Amino acid sequence: MIYFNNAATSWPKPDIVYQAADEFFRSSGINPGRSGTSGEQDAAQIIFETREKIADFFSIGNSAQLVFNSGSTESLNTVIKGVLEKGDHVITSKLEHNSVLRPLERLKIEKEITVDYIEFNPKTAEIEYQSLKNAVKNNTKLIIISHASNVLGTVNNLQRIGEIAAAEDILFLVDAAQTAGVIPIDVDKMKIDFLAVPGHKSLFGPPGIGALYVRDHELIRPLKEGGTGTNSLSVQQPKIMPDYLEAGTLNTPGIIGLGAGIEFIQTEGLKLIHQQEMRLLKKLINGLKILPEIKIYGKKDIDNRTAVTAFNLAALSSNQLAFKLQHEYNIQLRGGLHCAPLLHKFLGTDNQGMLRLSPGYFNTEAEVDEFLNILETII
């Protein structure tokens, strides 16, 4: 199999990730803070060390501001539903994933919030910063922006957006689903209030694990309440972090696997990983550009982007072509709308969709050549 769907989830994982999760299950498998056995101390220590490791990775000074959850979707829902009140105004973009769009659309009905979806430059796929600034109102509570589009790959300037938000005293939520692990993020320098981080993409962790950075937990209500293993006599959710936003059983093997993924990145070097992925992306784009009847969306250079590009072949259904590549040639990529409906409507691809290619660190140039040869044969 040739796997070009790393924007959905990275595969394969580094061996250290498989080994770490397996070792935990075989040697302990304990739910920290709940079991009353000696093994839970080791699990709790590993969780603490992983929390510290991730905090350091994103330049977070206090690791207690980082909570573990199931991934970016839970992080985004936690902030959107925990911060917004009746009548608040939100600024976001037409690049965003349904993990942002759907909770916002629900709150438009339930809490009568208002939302401005700013446009992006179709050639560069970068948001219109002046439009964002112009959209600010007296009741603007939150700006939500994806660090990079999951369809077009262009990286938005978080520091520039953070400065706009800070100047207007607006909270800033960043969806780092496509950049955590390949693009450096500094929450203080970029003036980020909330950072949604998935574990299963470029951080090389298992599925079902993620993290949320919260600058000030007093500004947010928990998405869920329940057991934390601490302060159990009280029927109120503990106000201390990270317990305040970490109710229920933690995904301990996922956390341990995520920690191993970050160790792998630190050993290999984040810059080296990104450069390797960009080499493969450049080869893919250059190969696509010379094929007839191929339309590439977004920018065609590799500056300021992640290893994601999207294309269509003539008027063919993207889903049909993806199905053909998968079942006849064993090539895994993604066709369809990629959970980004406003992006597709803006670009006029809401009927056809797009084929998304997202090579990863473990892909090879030989795989790129094979894919391009197969696509040429199909054409």
Side-chain angles (χ1 to χ4, degrees), residues 54-128:
I54 298 172
D56 183 66
F57 194 81
F58 294 107
S59 300
I60 298 168
N62 180 5
S63 68
Q65 294 172 289
L66 191 82
V67 297
F68 290 114
N69 55 26
S70 63
S72 288
T73 298
E74 184 172 343
S75 291
L76 294 165
N77 272 265
T78 297
V79 177
I80 291 169
K81 295 173 181 176
V83 165
L84 295 176
E85 304 282 1
K86 184 175 181 179
D88 284 340
H89 174 245
V90 179
I91 302 172
T92 187
S93 82
K94 292 184 177 180
L95 289 169
E96 305 310 313
H97 191 274
N98 271 336
S99 297
V100 170
L101 305 181
R102 287 177 173 174
L104 285 178
E105 289 299 312
R106 178 177 173 179
L107 292 188
K108 283 171 69 173
I109 298 170
E110 293 184 354
K111 292 194 173 183
E112 299 176 8
I113 69 164
T114 55
V115 182
D116 274 334
Y117 294 106
I118 61 173
E119 296 183 350
F120 59 93
N121 186 314
K123 292 184 179 179
T124 66
E126 198 169 355
I127 67 162
E128 299 284 2

Side-chain angles (χ1 to χ4, degrees), residues 32-60:
R34 313 303 207 277
S35 62
T37 65
S38 59
E40 72 173 295
Q41 295 176 350
D42 294 334
Q45 181 64 27
I46 293 171
I47 289 173
F48 173 76
E49 291 171 357
T50 304
R51 200 189 303 273
E52 290 273 293
K53 197 179 300 178
I54 298 172
D56 183 66
F57 194 81
F58 294 107
S59 300
I60 298 168

Side-chain angles (χ1 to χ4, degrees), residues 107-175:
L107 292 188
K108 283 171 69 173
I109 298 170
E110 293 184 354
K111 292 194 173 183
E112 299 176 8
I113 69 164
T114 55
V115 182
D116 274 334
Y117 294 106
I118 61 173
E119 296 183 350
F120 59 93
N121 186 314
K123 292 184 179 179
T124 66
E126 198 169 355
I127 67 162
E128 299 284 2
Y129 299 102
Q130 189 59 48
S131 296
L132 185 149
K133 193 171 183 178
N134 292 344
V136 173
K137 300 178 181 178
N138 291 334
N139 63 332
T140 303
K141 181 77 166 288
L142 185 64
I143 293 173
I144 312 171
I145 296 293
S146 55
H147 195 185
S149 166
N150 72 313
V151 182
L152 305 175
T154 302
V155 176
N156 289 308
N157 189 328
L158 294 188
Q159 187 165 348
R160 187 172 177 183
I161 302 167
E163 288 171 355
I164 293 172
E168 299 289 346
D169 198 24
I170 300 168
L171 296 173
F172 183 28
L173 166 60
V174 174
D175 178 1

